[in-house]
Amino acid sequence: SRAPLHGKQVAMSDSWFSSLTDIVIRPPRRSYTVCDFGPRDFELDGRAFTRVDFKLTNDRGQVLECSHFLPRGENGQPLMNVPCVVYLHGNSSSRIEAYDVLGWLLPRDISVLCFDFAGSGHSGGDYVSLGHFEQHDLRVVIAYLRENVAASAIGLWGRSMGAATAALYAADDHGLAGCVMDSPFSSFNVLAEDLVNSGPITLPGFVIRWALQEVRKEVLSRAEFDIDELVPVDQVRRATSPAMFASGEDDVVVPPHHAERLFEAWGTSNDEGLGAGAERELVSFPGGHNDARPEWFLERAANFMEDRLLAATAAKGGQILGRSSELPPSERSEVVAPPAPSPLPAARLPPLPPTTPPAESSQPPTPALPSQPAPASVDGMDSSTLGGFGGQAGAEVLQQHLRRHSASRPAPASVA
């Protein structure tokens, strides 16, 4: 049997697990400026909109940077109490990610509120928690909307970490109109095992479990949450909101089976078997975890959200701009095959065109997203390889480090 770790070996092992933990709880922050959002007041498809920037404070005293995109009334003031989608960004990302959905939601008279989770973007906090504390940040944002009557109905649209956060939160908030969850994970530990075993060599289960427990201790010590409790699939059985789950067919970072497990469990706490439970859909599309989403999916997801938000708004007697107060049709959400691609709405991504529209022959520019800061290197491991669990090389990198350091640890008493 191998000798226990001593001296320099212990220090090296501790340093390595600290570095590995950084990838989980301290990925590089997304760098951007508020100017990257474009002008505060703008027109889109002939409609006037405005952006309201503000700050909230979470229950840990950390400042959350928020932006709310709203339609403007005839007097130029923002129209409150209209349907709202709260967009939830992924790991190592920020509220700038909401660019992807603004052009699909605003023309439908749906406001969009995006914010930086604590530990991300411009918000306060030193660490991210992959949904554990983020669900509490979301609760603060939802409370703001409800207490200020700033939304007639609320839906969630999240990606990766943001999708997992939406799943965790929706389990206990039954007042949501609907949720779109793009590439959520069902269990952090299962996700970590998937990521490691997606590489060219399969590691023994005891090595993976040992490494996860060491990371768990480090996360508990530094960020004060337990990765063993990050199991959204156990929580979503209590959910009641309509939901759309989506995943990339080629995603090796968060494989499609995570969305499938969540889909099967959603809203089934009081029911038996698949087919029971809350209303839900499962959608897949070509591409990997960090690839651009196809237009047909964004349109379908926006239609899904529009129908549920307008139904909830009509039921509450809220504002439905440019429409009657009757409940909207829901046939679109029942389509199984993806609709044919349609042209992007004008100026899909900010900076959006100014109030004076350009000549018909000119095309609004598509801006470059804010540049990503140089990734931090931790113990020879480039943390960008796992940003948002992102980067297809993440599994191989993890495997290399696990093999390197498992060789010097004591052999287990027994192997399950």
Side-chain angles (χ1 to χ4, degrees):
S1 62
R2 296 172 183 149
L5 296 176
H6 293 291
K8 187 176 181 180
Q9 287 180 311
V10 172
M12 290 177 63
S13 180
D14 290 346
S15 174
W16 177 74
F17 278 113
S18 179
S19 299
L20 184 58
T21 302
D22 281 339
I23 293 177
V24 176
I25 62 174
R26 186 55 282 156
R29 284 182 185 258
R30 181 66 180 269
S31 176
Y32 71 94
T33 69
V34 176
C35 294
D36 293 321
F37 278 117
R40 288 184 182 276
D41 298 321
F42 57 91
E43 286 191 354
L44 182 61
D45 287 357
R47 303 289 301 279
F49 297 91
T50 192
R51 188 189 79 247
V52 178
D53 298 326
F54 60 98
K55 304 175 190 291
L56 296 174
T57 303
N58 66 15
D59 55 7
R60 293 175 291 154
Q62 298 159 334
V63 174
L64 305 177
E65 297 286 349
C66 311
S67 295
H68 196 177
F69 294 84
L70 292 151
R72 276 188 290 152
E74 294 181 358
N75 60 358
Q77 295 299 310
L79 291 176
M80 310 296 278
N81 199 29
V82 297
C84 177
V85 164
V86 179
Y87 187 85
L88 309 172
H89 66 75
N91 193 20
S92 199
S93 188
S94 71
R95 56 181 163 158
I96 211 83
E97 191 181 298
Y99 282 21
D100 292 344
V101 304
L102 284 179
W104 296 98
L105 295 173
L106 292 180
R108 289 172 164 81
D109 296 314
I110 298 171
S111 73
V112 178
L113 193 158
C114 53
F115 68 101
D116 292 339
F117 286 121
S120 299
H122 292 183
S123 289
D126 296 326
Y127 302 113
V128 299
S129 63
L130 307 178
H132 178 83
F133 289 123
E134 284 77 8
Q135 63 182 311
H136 301 300
D137 294 345
L138 176 57
R139 183 170 290 108
V140 171
V141 171
I142 299 293
Y144 158 82
L145 288 171
R146 288 173 174 161
E147 292 170 4
N148 290 278
V149 197
S152 59
I154 300 170
L156 305 179
W157 188 326
R159 183 163 170 171
S160 192
M161 179 181 78
T165 299
L168 290 167
Y169 177 82
D172 295 314
D173 187 337
H174 299 167
L176 297 171
C179 301
V180 172
M181 288 162 282
D182 180 346
S183 307
F185 64 85
S186 59
S187 161
F188 174 79
N189 286 338
V190 172
L191 175 65
E193 292 180 12
D194 287 343
L195 187 59
V196 171
N197 288 327
S198 65
I201 300 175
T202 300
L203 294 177
F206 76 85
V207 174
I208 299 174
R209 290 191 293 271
W210 162 72
L212 283 174
Q213 286 308 304
E214 294 300 316
V215 170
R216 178 180 179 234
K217 295 175 189 175
E218 186 79 14
V219 170
L220 275 168
S221 173
R222 294 171 57 189
E224 300 180 336
F225 74 95
D226 190 345
I227 59 174
D228 283 357
E229 296 178 359
L230 282 174
V231 191
V233 72
D234 289 345
Q235 308 299 318
V236 300
R237 301 181 192 281
R238 302 193 303 272
T240 60
S241 305
M244 174 182 285
F245 296 93
S247 61
E249 296 167 357
D250 306 313
D251 193 337
V252 298
V253 179
V254 183
H257 73 80
H258 286 271
E260 293 166 3
R261 288 186 65 202
L262 289 165
F263 167 79
E264 293 171 0
W266 188 262
T268 59
S269 60
N270 298 315
D271 300 286
E272 295 181 1
L274 180 61
E279 175 193 356
R280 60 226 195 259
E281 299 183 20
L282 182 63
V283 180
S284 64
F285 42 76
H289 191 73
N290 295 319
D291 290 341
R293 296 321 190 216
E295 294 176 15
W296 68 258
F297 164 70
L298 293 171
E299 182 175 36
R300 180 171 175 178
N303 286 340
F304 174 92
M305 191 62 75
E306 179 184 26
D307 286 351
R308 276 77 189 167
L309 285 168
L310 295 185
T313 295
K316 297 177 183 178
Q319 291 192 69
I320 302 180
L321 303 180
R323 298 176 174 84
S324 69
S325 60
E326 298 177 356
L327 295 178
S330 59
E331 285 79 4
R332 282 181 299 220
S333 63
E334 298 172 358
V335 177
V336 175
S342 60
L344 281 173
R348 174 173 162 241
L349 296 178
L352 296 162
T355 302
T356 302
E360 291 184 4
S361 60
S362 64
Q363 296 294 325
T366 300
L369 288 174
S371 59
Q372 177 75 16
S377 177
V378 286
D379 191 27
M381 188 187 305
D382 181 351
S383 55
S384 69
T385 59
L386 291 178
F389 307 113
Q392 309 292 339
E396 186 172 350
V397 171
L398 275 177
Q399 283 197 334
Q400 292 172 356
H401 280 257
L402 286 174
R403 288 197 298 269
R404 182 191 312 168
H405 291 273
S406 64
S408 60
R409 64 177 290 271
S414 61
V415 179

